[in-house]
Amino acid sequence: MRIFYLLIAVLITSCASVKQEDITYIKGDYTASAEEPKLNVFKPKDSLNPHDVLIFVHGGNWNSGNKETYSVVGRNFARKDYVAVVPGYTLSPYVNYDGMTREIAEAIRWTHENIANYGGKPDRIFLMGHSAGGHLVALATMSPDYLNNPDYIKGIILDDAAGLDMYEYLQENPPTAEDYYDVTWTTNKEEWKKASPFYYLDEKAPPILMFLGTKTYPSLYYYNDLFYQKLKEYQPEADLIILNKNHTGMVTQFFSPLSPRFGEIKEFTEGID
């Protein structure tokens, strides 16, 4: 019976939004792999007023995942009165972390420049990422090599984020060909540090809301906790919401429009000027 009601909720959600799919966002020629990444936009169906924008970036260990799996997440955020953007990006081994982050930065710029055409507010963009997606949105925003804290990014939501301190992690677990980590991170320790959002946390970082699962991977839990402790030096009121879920459950909870996480995110975004 529970599955029945969840299916009904998903059907209701799908009727409450409009999907614009496979939009090109990368400027210039794309040569990294056979298929150029694109993005999908989900907007509330029945409202004429402009909305806050939420960009959701999927995870998958930097070598798997696709935007279509998360269309239900985009639709659910549209149902909650956001214009939602779900970009795809090139995966390892075709590019490393830097190439992925540059693509996510391009998706964010595209959103800022074009989202008004889809009913979104270009000066009120929130970024959200699960797992590797959390790493990419944090790095794209906070590292000076990419977007470097633009004013239109109003907040970041990290959902069981991975890769927050690869400098420390990879020194203990050197990258190998397994999962293409030798490609994703390279074997250069200085690259590992450049790849780590932890080292860019400062007073310029946008407000950050964190979700963390008690049953997630131990190393991920450890580095999220370290990140949060440093975050509180600059954002004393920042929230870390800890949930009794594993790593996968931390994102599949957003497949249901009834998840209380949407209310917590709404409270976070509405509390930011």
Side-chain angles (χ1 to χ4, degrees):
M1 186 63 70
R2 181 180 178 184
I3 294 175
F4 171 78
Y5 285 120
L6 181 57
L7 287 172
I8 293 298
V10 170
L11 288 172
I12 292 172
T13 300
S14 67
C15 296
S17 64
V18 176
K19 178 182 180 183
Q20 310 266 331
E21 60 185 345
D22 291 333
I23 300 168
T24 297
Y25 68 85
I26 292 178
K27 294 181 179 179
D29 295 332
Y30 175 81
T31 59
S33 69
E35 185 175 356
E36 180 179 357
K38 299 180 186 299
L39 59 78
N40 296 336
V41 177
F42 303 83
K43 59 182 182 178
K45 187 174 183 179
D46 299 321
S47 177
L48 298 177
N49 297 318
H51 298 274
D52 284 353
V53 179
L54 188 138
I55 301 175
F56 176 84
V57 180
H58 71 78
N61 204 23
W62 299 273
N63 68 355
S64 65
N66 67 81
K67 72 182 191 305
E68 300 308 327
T69 302
Y70 300 93
S71 287
V72 64
V73 177
R75 289 194 183 280
N76 282 337
F77 274 109
R79 188 172 187 254
K80 306 301 180 182
D81 291 326
Y82 295 92
V83 174
V85 179
V86 182
Y89 56 95
T90 306
L91 302 170
S92 186
Y94 297 104
V95 295
N96 64 10
Y97 82 88
D98 178 64
M100 297 178 214
T101 311
R102 291 190 184 282
E103 289 184 2
I104 294 305
E106 284 205 52
I108 296 168
R109 289 192 194 94
W110 180 94
T111 301
H112 177 61
E113 294 169 1
N114 296 278
I115 206 63
N117 298 327
Y118 299 85
K121 298 178 180 179
D123 59 342
R124 284 189 58 81
I125 295 175
F126 295 87
L127 309 179
M128 178 178 174
H130 170 252
S131 192
H135 164 261
L136 295 173
V137 298
L139 188 64
T141 305
M142 295 190 291
S143 168
D145 291 338
Y146 306 103
L147 295 170
N148 197 20
N149 305 104
D151 291 341
Y152 58 81
I153 295 179
K154 297 300 183 181
I156 299 173
I157 300 140
L158 300 179
D159 181 37
D160 228 44
L164 296 178
D165 189 351
M166 294 308 294
Y167 181 65
E168 289 294 331
Y169 177 80
L170 291 174
Q171 289 186 72
E172 298 180 8
N173 305 272
T176 67
E178 184 177 1
D179 295 322
Y180 306 119
Y181 268 32
D182 56 343
V183 176
T184 303
W185 308 110
T186 80
T187 56
N188 183 342
K189 289 185 180 180
E190 289 307 309
E191 285 295 320
W192 304 347
K193 196 165 191 176
K194 287 174 61 179
S196 301
F198 180 84
Y199 299 98
Y200 302 108
L201 265 177
D202 58 24
E203 66 282 348
K204 295 183 295 182
I208 296 175
L209 170 65
M210 298 178 66
F211 295 107
L212 183 61
T214 57
K215 298 177 182 177
T216 192
Y217 303 109
S219 62
L220 193 152
Y221 193 98
Y222 174 76
Y223 287 111
N224 269 263
D225 182 63
L226 287 183
F227 187 90
Y228 179 64
Q229 296 307 320
K230 185 175 181 181
L231 173 63
K232 286 192 62 110
E233 296 176 16
Y234 304 103
Q235 299 180 22
E237 303 303 317
D239 282 334
L240 171 62
I241 298 176
I242 298 178
L243 303 163
N244 187 32
K245 296 181 182 295
N246 63 22
H247 188 58
T248 301
M250 289 297 291
V251 68
T252 56
Q253 64 184 323
F254 290 98
F255 288 12
S256 168
L258 305 179
S259 171
R261 305 289 82 77
F262 290 108
E264 292 159 355
I265 290 172
K266 178 69 76 170
E267 182 178 357
F268 171 70
T269 61
E270 290 184 346
I272 297 172
D273 293 331

